[in-house]
Amino acid sequence: MATTPSLEYIEKTTKQSVDASVIWLHGLGADGSDFVPIVDELPLGGSLGVRFIFPHAPVRQVTVNGGMPMRAWYDIIGLGEGGIEEDTSGLAEALSHIVELIGGEKERGIPAERIVLAGFSQGAATALYAGLQLEQAPAGIIALSGWLPAATEIKPLSGLDDLPIFMAHGNQDPVVPLRLGLDSSRRLTDAGFRVDWHEYTLEHGVCMAEIEQVGKWLKSLLG
């Protein structure tokens, strides 16, 4: 019997028979429903069977938002010129949730090399952090309008150096400045990762051109 994850999630498949999964993490203050509509917009083609998992982050107080309770993968303590100050214990908790979700997909017959981690904003940061801490590398990581948390340990694991990473960012983003995305991309590239970087003329969000590029990248990765 498959283990029941501690986080509730929304599930959407592109076909009745699937052989790959995408675990998609929402941004701060949103929930799993935020990116469900994107599945129908991705140009994956009719032959690719993918299960999309959209989990709901736990509700917690977020320091940078005046302690207001909201769905968040971990607490963000502060924002400044030096970057984003994050709760490292919360990051570790988020990692445990991702490991649990991946374990659930493995129990349903999807191997790690067919599981993609994706996310937007704080969800993108969480996907990058988790993807680089896993004992077994995922198929790839999609990070939209996000950043690489400072606490991320970039370590040589089996197959990790070949881990494909798709990163995209709006060049007018007032929430997560483009600089944070670019710095994260450079840090990963300097460490030897294959980063596919894209910039779009938009603020803190996604656009159709970006969605189409994500779909093409996923199709190339999983097709």
Side-chain angles (χ1 to χ4, degrees):
M1 181 180 295
T3 303
T4 301
S6 57
L7 293 182
E8 294 184 348
Y9 60 84
I10 298 170
E11 178 177 311
K12 187 176 178 68
T13 60
T14 60
K15 288 179 61 179
Q16 185 173 359
S17 176
V18 302
D19 65 358
S21 297
V22 176
I23 298 172
W24 198 300
L25 311 179
H26 62 76
L28 181 67
D31 63 28
S33 66
D34 203 26
F35 277 87
V36 173
I38 205 174
V39 176
D40 294 330
E41 303 294 337
L42 294 169
L44 297 178
S47 61
L48 193 59
V50 183
R51 179 187 297 118
F52 286 82
I53 301 293
F54 298 96
H56 306 299
V59 175
R60 68 180 78 241
Q61 292 181 321
V62 177
T63 302
V64 76
N65 285 344
M68 184 182 298
M70 62 186 65
R71 291 196 181 276
W73 297 105
Y74 54 86
D75 186 20
I76 294 180
I77 300 168
L79 300 170
E81 290 299 322
I84 298 176
E85 185 180 357
E86 296 158 309
D87 171 28
T88 53
S89 63
L91 275 166
E93 179 188 340
L95 173 60
S96 70
H97 286 306
I98 305 308
V99 169
E100 188 177 57
L101 289 165
I102 290 174
E105 290 308 290
K106 287 181 178 179
E107 289 182 357
R108 293 205 279 181
I110 308 298
E113 60 268 21
R114 298 286 293 171
I115 299 175
V116 175
L117 296 182
F120 173 78
S121 195
Q122 192 194 41
T126 305
L128 285 169
Y129 175 81
L132 299 182
Q133 313 308 309
L134 295 171
E135 293 183 3
Q136 187 176 3
I141 301 173
I142 298 170
L144 309 181
S145 303
W147 66 94
L148 183 66
T152 307
E153 181 182 358
I154 301 179
K155 52 190 176 182
L157 296 177
S158 176
L160 197 57
D161 289 343
D162 293 327
L163 175 63
I165 300 174
F166 181 99
M167 297 186 72
H169 218 106
N171 57 19
Q172 300 174 14
D173 193 332
V175 179
V176 180
L178 176 65
R179 172 183 56 82
L180 291 180
L182 284 170
D183 288 348
S184 298
S185 174
R186 292 190 189 106
R187 183 181 170 193
L188 291 165
T189 301
D190 289 347
F193 290 95
R194 294 187 290 129
V195 179
D196 190 359
W197 173 264
H198 297 265
E199 287 182 31
Y200 299 92
T201 304
L202 76 160
E203 297 187 354
H204 195 60
V206 296
C207 62
M208 185 53 65
E210 183 177 5
I211 292 171
E212 291 176 354
Q213 197 63 48
V214 169
K216 291 176 182 177
W217 188 85
L218 271 175
K219 187 176 182 181
S220 175
L221 181 70
L222 301 174

